[in-house]
Amino acid sequence: MWDQLKAHHEHVKNRRFETLVDADRAEAFSAETSDMRLDYSKTNIDADGLGLLIDLLENAGVGDKRAQMFSGGKINETEGRAVLHTALRNLDGGPVFVDGEDVMPGVLATLERMEKFAATVRDGSFKGQGGKITDVVNIGIGGSDLGPAMGVLALAPYHDGPRCHFVSNVDPADISQVLQGCNPETTLVIVASKTFTTIETMTNARTAMAWMGESVAEPGAQFAALSTAEDKTAAFGIAAERVFGFEDWVGGRYSMWGPIGLSLMIAIGPDAFRAFLRGGQAMDVHFRSAIWRDNMPALLALVGIWHNQICGHATRAVLPYDNNLSRLAAYLQQLEMESNGKGVSMDGADLDGPSGPVVWGEPGTNGQHAFYQLIHQGKRVIPCEFLVAARGHDDALHHQHQLLVANCLAQSEALMKGRDLDEARSKVAGKFEGAELERQARHREFTGNRPSVTITYPQLTPFVLGQIIALYEHRVFVEGVVLGINSYDQWGVELGKELATALQPIVEGAQSVEGKDGSTAALVDFLKRHGV
């Protein structure tokens, strides 16, 4: 099937897909669910190519693997774990079993505990030692930070709770700058670490505890923990009623639907958080029920496979035309690159080709004045994914939102159409002539024929954010199954952690650099001479 797809690509790769895009194609190469639309008509995928891609998906057993995932099968085979972040948003979808036990009573009980605690923080029933909580500081890293940090910013128009801040980097500048703007007497600190051993998180947590201890008698009383290590949280001084755990079948980068989302729940309230869960659940239902040709996560995955594995485009730009989604690209970097950044298949054999692409991006229109030059006229083709809402949250500035939408649609049109040399000449005719006219025209020529997809929705609400995140989660799942890899482990992050632990006493001067390579030894020497 891979060979057939590559042969098909060879046959169609030089055509102008602009010539394919009419009203019929725009409908045929789009999908909708719950007022969300995915348009992938501005790609070089045609009916034959789509058919081959769907055959690839079916031959890989995506349907069976999907059923296993939702039913609690241990599809994370290298760690022997189920993959059930979907259970965290299964508000009325029936029982889900892991090893014969229905996990839904525990999931819903934890959600209710979160809601009660969030409500007390928001209404002032839970107080700091100086009065009502005014600030929440979430300390985590990776999935314990990127999800809630992205979500809190994305849903800023819905904030009616305390201010929320996020600390992730072990660089002391991060926590120092956050705590400077907070009052220790009215700040709640949430420590997010499943094992309560993550070195960056626990280092920052101890710093926050010391900071608060300088001003209040019981600093632990203003801490909560998102962790399963109740012995460690108790030893840290956090009472059991403020500890919210989650199971090992929820991976870190998939965890914002549960306790890791506590800061988001406090910011927007339990009702809005449930709407966020409902959005994710709605995408789950769509993913499980829609045929492949109408299935948004599957189609988004197949477009990604076409561009990366078949066309050889190594990167993917995520370009939300919504400033509140300015952290979406960073969130998707972890979701996609940590999930599918693998070099071996499930059976341990080397992959024949690349796995996941490099994911990056920034919000429009900022990106237009930064890196779009490379996207439009650079020699590498960079598939783009645009996201835009029909309306913003400030009705008085709707005309400005319309300008934003016009910019978004113009970019995808420009990538597709480009500007040929004759049109470029006409732009400078009368200003130049002869060889200089030709030279100036070449600088204004755009090759076009550059692919993009566009995801549109009415407004960025909690429900819609849930749809978006679940859409990308399932896209990662489909791509992983088709590529034959495990999307739910992350062994690649472990080696650097191990080496950092070994290097710390060397950097501190407690051990010598003997045994280290020459480069590392020289760098340690330089840094120590300059004050490390």
Side-chain angles (χ1 to χ4, degrees), residues 443-465:
H443 286 284
R444 291 160 174 79
E445 181 184 12
F446 292 71
T447 61
N449 224 33
R450 301 189 177 214
S452 67
V453 302
T454 303
I455 298 169
T456 53
Y457 39 88
Q459 189 179 44
L460 186 59
T461 62
F463 183 89
V464 167
L465 181 65

Side-chain angles (χ1 to χ4, degrees), residues 94-123:
V96 178
F97 292 94
V98 176
D99 293 330
E101 179 182 353
D102 182 8
V103 303
M104 287 311 303
V107 167
L108 296 176
T110 298
L111 177 61
E112 290 175 6
R113 286 186 60 230
M114 289 170 58
E115 290 176 330
K116 289 177 181 177
F117 179 66
T120 63
V121 173
R122 287 163 54 82
D123 67 18

Side-chain angles (χ1 to χ4, degrees), residues 51 288 310 365 381 479:
R288 298 179 74 178
I310 305 303
T365 57
V381 174
E479 288 186 343

Side-chain angles (χ1 to χ4, degrees), residues 151 159 186 225 369 488 531:
H159 289 196
T186 58
H369 295 267
Y488 302 102

